[in-house]
Amino acid sequence: MVMENEENQNFYKKFFIKYGIMMAFFAVFFFIAIYSSILSRKAWQNNLKACIEEVLETKYPNEWSLENSIRLESTFSMNSICYEARNRMTGELSKVVTLRGATFYGPFPLVFLVSSENNVTFVGYASVHGKIASQIETKNFSIRVNYWQKRVLEILEGAK
């Protein structure tokens, strides 16, 4: 009887040691994953900002400069980002909204310019170059672009 209790105690002791090691491994793994995503967020935003600036520069050369990002509080905030844009000539402050739009080639970022009078203008697709860019621009994707163009003001209602 005493032997069985000692065997049970040894079994549970070994089980909890192995369980603790496994839990420690998972905790370290999740800590590294979360920490690396937090560190890469700034680089991701800077690269996205550069892509948006490139689209604006292509459509409106030497006219707009991007400034601070604006936090969006809407259901679309996971698929969109907003920046303040200043017109270099007039000093007018506008907003640039980028969101993911569906195309035949998959989802691509759509870039919209929203003036201070809430006029929404489609600027172009970010990060699209070469043959795909020319095909997307020549194909009639206006239905999808028009849909998002109408929704941009709703998305901006929750901007902070």
Side-chain angles (χ1 to χ4, degrees):
M1 189 82 163
V2 174
M3 273 305 252
E4 285 183 18
N5 284 340
E6 286 180 22
E7 287 177 12
N8 284 341
Q9 287 177 350
N10 285 337
F11 172 78
Y12 287 120
K13 185 177 180 181
K14 289 178 184 177
F15 171 78
F16 283 118
I17 288 173
K18 289 179 183 177
Y19 184 74
I21 291 171
M22 184 182 71
M23 286 288 123
F25 172 76
F26 283 127
V28 168
F29 174 76
F30 283 116
F31 174 77
I32 291 172
I34 291 169
Y35 186 70
S36 64
S37 70
I38 290 171
L39 286 179
S40 66
R41 183 180 302 153
K42 185 71 172 175
W44 177 81
Q45 284 182 341
N46 288 339
N47 290 334
L48 184 60
K49 186 176 180 180
C51 289
I52 296 168
E53 285 176 336
E54 182 180 328
V55 172
L56 285 172
E57 198 62 31
T58 302
K59 183 89 176 222
Y60 308 108
N62 295 321
E63 193 171 335
W64 295 98
S65 63
L66 290 185
E67 295 183 354
N68 302 325
S69 66
I70 300 171
R71 189 170 170 213
L72 297 175
E73 294 290 333
S74 72
T75 56
F76 295 103
S77 63
M78 293 299 292
N79 293 321
S80 60
I81 192 164
C82 182
Y83 287 99
E84 289 178 338
R86 185 168 303 277
N87 190 314
R88 292 178 182 157
M89 296 172 210
T90 64
E92 175 190 5
L93 194 62
S94 298
K95 293 177 182 162
V96 175
V97 177
T98 303
L99 47 89
R100 183 171 38 186
T103 67
F104 180 73
Y105 299 100
F108 283 112
L110 303 169
V111 179
F112 294 96
L113 183 64
V114 182
S115 69
S116 56
E117 294 88 28
N118 289 333
N119 296 326
V120 180
T121 307
F122 175 66
V123 179
Y125 294 93
S127 302
V128 181
H129 306 288
K131 186 177 181 181
I132 294 176
S134 63
Q135 287 180 351
I136 286 177
E137 290 169 6
T138 57
K139 300 284 183 192
N140 188 3
F141 289 109
S142 62
I143 295 171
R144 292 180 185 102
V145 171
N146 288 340
Y147 170 79
W148 286 112
Q149 196 166 2
K150 293 175 186 173
R151 299 293 303 260
V152 165
L153 293 177
E154 293 175 31
I155 294 170
L156 284 177
E157 286 178 4
K160 288 185 176 180

